[in-house]
Amino acid sequence: MALFLRRGAALAARSIRAAAASSASTSVHRLPSVGSLAGARELAPTKLFLLEARRGFAKGKKSKDDGRGDTVQDAPDIGPTVKSAATQQMEAAVVALSRELSMLDHIMVETTGVKVALNRLAVVSVLDAHTLSVMPYDPSSMKSIEHAIISSPLGINPTPDGNRIIANIPPLTKENIQALCKVVTKSAEDFKQSIRRARQKALDTIKKSASGMPKDDVKRLEKEVEELTKKFIKSADDMCKAKEKEISGN
């Protein structure tokens, strides 16, 4: 009986030692920390893909939000364009006024029911101090041009000479001088209106863009347009005064 008990105890001890040895040889696999990149590499490929996809989405979303908050759009600088357009229009008006004030250029010729400036229908050249030559582009318009010259306040009696018209300029009388000065004044006012229209167009463009511009820039640009307008109005006035002085001989 005692022998049987000793054998049972020995078997039980061996069983306990075997179980312990088996427990020690068994490795325990724990999931690595999600926050560790090195640990993430030990995950199964599917889990690793899902993990990186979630991390990438989170980063992308944050970057998009940050980008939206940091984006600043600068208002376009329309100043150079507005001033350039206004300057070109005002210069064109002054150049046209200069041509208008040239001798005979203010004469309007009625042809085919439409009044056209003489300088668009003929070449006017100076033969001497008191004689002008008018060469029509179209010989059929000679009669209309001759009639227009006779009707002008210059008091000229033109003479046909082949394909051209000879205009002898007589000494100007007081009445003719006054009439010519009125023509000059009217021409000046017409072209100053063109300058003012260019000014208004520039101001309208500034007004439409004002919501996207700093107030100081808007005021500065409006002031620069006003200064341009004054400059070209003065130029037109100076030209007309010089022409009136030329006509009156003073």
Side-chain angles (χ1 to χ4, degrees), residues 95-102 105-108 117 119 187 191:
V95 170
L97 176 59
S98 177
R99 289 196 300 264
E100 181 80 5
L101 296 180
S102 297
D105 281 1
H106 68 280
I107 295 176
M108 302 298 293
N119 59 9
S187 295
F191 286 99

Side-chain angles (χ1 to χ4, degrees), residues 106-108 144-158:
H106 68 280
I107 295 176
M108 302 298 293
S144 297
I145 293 175
E146 184 180 354
H147 176 73
I149 295 174
I150 293 173
S151 302
S152 75
L154 292 173
I156 298 175
N157 291 316

Side-chain angles (χ1 to χ4, degrees), residues 55-65:
R55 289 169 63 87
F57 175 76
K59 288 183 178 181
K61 184 176 181 181
K62 183 178 180 182
S63 176
K64 184 177 181 181
D65 291 341

Side-chain angles (χ1 to χ4, degrees), residues 188-215:
E189 190 55 39
D190 289 344
F191 286 99
K192 283 192 287 186
Q193 286 297 329
S194 296
I195 294 172
R196 294 186 184 103
R197 283 194 294 270
R199 164 189 171 274
Q200 189 59 51
K201 186 175 181 180
L203 293 178
D204 289 344
T205 301
I206 296 170
K207 185 177 180 180
K208 290 178 181 178
S209 304
S211 59
M213 298 171 58
K215 291 184 179 180

Side-chain angles (χ1 to χ4, degrees), residues 226-236:
E226 293 292 350
E227 289 174 351
L228 274 176
T229 304
K230 291 178 181 179
K231 171 186 172 183
F232 284 101
I233 290 290
K234 184 178 184 302
S235 178

